[in-house]
Amino acid sequence: MLAARVLADAFEEVVVIEADELPEGVEPRKRTPQANHSHVLLQRGQTILEKLFPGLIQQCIDAGSVTSDFTRDLRWFHFGQWKPRFTSGIRVVQQTRPFLEHHIRGRLKLYGNIQFLPKTKAAGLILSPDGSRVEGLKLQSADGQALPDLLCELTVDAGGAGSPCMHWISPQPAEESLPIDLFYATRFYRDPEENNRDWTNLMISARLPNQPYAGVVLSFENGLMGVTLGGYKKEPPKTAEAFAAIAASLPQPDISRFLQRAEPVSNMHVYRIPSQTRKRLVPGTLPRRLLPIGDAYCRFDPLYGQGMSVAAIEADRLYELLQGGEADIDSVVNQYLTALPTLTQEPWDMALTEALRHPEIAASQDVSFVMKLMQRLTERIYAASARNEDVYLALAQAMNLTASSRIFFRPSLLGTIMTTRPNKGKR
């Protein structure tokens, strides 16, 4: 939907192909099972949404979104230590994905040149006679009936990690992939002791390889609390009892205690991510006038909460390239494709650095000497962030994609980081 907003300023008509019937209210779309799970919009993503839809963030807050300060309101156990809590100024606005989509969809309906085609699926690309350019899409109804072709000047693949679009291209683009074999399971609750809590969010991170499970409790609109548990190279829970057993296995009891008092208001939903993947798209190797966005280009480890915000960063880059009204479409596409690896590199590396600590995951890769150095450095960063507010603030900024990882090499921080011994305690 962010792509539709960006394109609306540059094209006379934007058509959004949507396989589901569009919900009228706040509810997940049937073909987006991950919408049943907790989602986080990082500060960088919030800034971009506000840029594209002025007033949207306050609109969500007025409708029930929860606001929190990243470091003050998060109780976080990470690499064997609790993080300090202080006011960082990093404001997080929290809501479920269907809630956010509902408000974005409402804004898009105000654009007279954006049209939604619900219960419709793309069935193939329409290529120029020489195959060098995408000229449109073959369409079919949700039940498989052929529909009239849709001709267009630019095709944006926003179909997610399961999009067939790149499979319609020959040769298919190469991709880099790390098999993480991750599950995450989510259930929503209400907290009868909401007024007695001293935290808004609670997180207990995985520490591979010895602690392959992670858990998070997030506050959402209208009193909803999302509990998500994830695990690498483990089987997902199938019952409420198994869900509770995973929470009890975490190195701190806080999430388990929360589950004991909380009142479930939803079923448990499980989603599996076999691998973290990223396409290798070189301008000139794809048919012209085609570009991917979001998970259609790069699917991250979801436990880091980067997906929506990185998609927003990509949409923002496309927005900037299209400014001026007379931009050459082919040039815009090439510049966008060239930018994608850089836009996604830091969040990609952040997840890889942690995943490759697991020997079963690392066995699928040639772990470089540089990566091993990064793992040692990040252990020191994590340890220092548990003892030093300035280091923790820098880590929070990097996690929220508002600062580069180069921030840790500032002289004021590097000395503290390098003289802090990694914590080897309870894992």
Side-chain angles (χ1 to χ4, degrees), residues 283-308:
T285 61
L286 288 180
R288 291 159 44 220
R289 305 294 178 94
L290 172 67
L291 61 85
I293 194 168
D295 282 7
Y297 168 67
C298 181
R299 176 170 64 181
F300 296 95
D301 180 336
L303 292 187
Y304 294 89
Q306 302 161 319
M308 289 199 301

Side-chain angles (χ1 to χ4, degrees), residues 77 82 183 185-187 189 202-206 211-217 226-231 234-262 268 426:
F77 188 78
W82 289 103
F183 81 80
T186 300
R187 197 174 190 187
Y189 298 81
L202 170 64
M203 184 159 62
I204 301 175
S205 294
Q211 174 51 45
Y213 292 112
V216 64
V217 183
V227 179
T228 296
L229 303 175
K234 296 291 184 179
E235 286 299 310
K238 296 181 180 179
T239 64
E241 292 75 17
F243 189 77
I246 292 174
S249 76
L250 295 172
Q252 295 292 325
D254 300 61
I255 293 179
S256 181
R257 289 172 180 167
F258 174 83
L259 291 179
Q260 291 170 19
R261 73 170 189 255
M268 180 179 65
K426 191 174 183 180

Side-chain angles (χ1 to χ4, degrees), residues 150-169:
L150 177 67
L151 300 181
C152 54
E153 293 182 74
L154 176 66
T155 300
V156 176
D157 179 12
S163 171
C165 185
M166 294 299 165
H167 296 286
W168 297 330
I169 298 169

Side-chain angles (χ1 to χ4, degrees), residues 341-352:
T342 301
L343 296 177
T344 57
Q345 194 62 49
E346 288 216 357
W348 175 267
D349 287 342
M350 190 184 302
L352 249 64

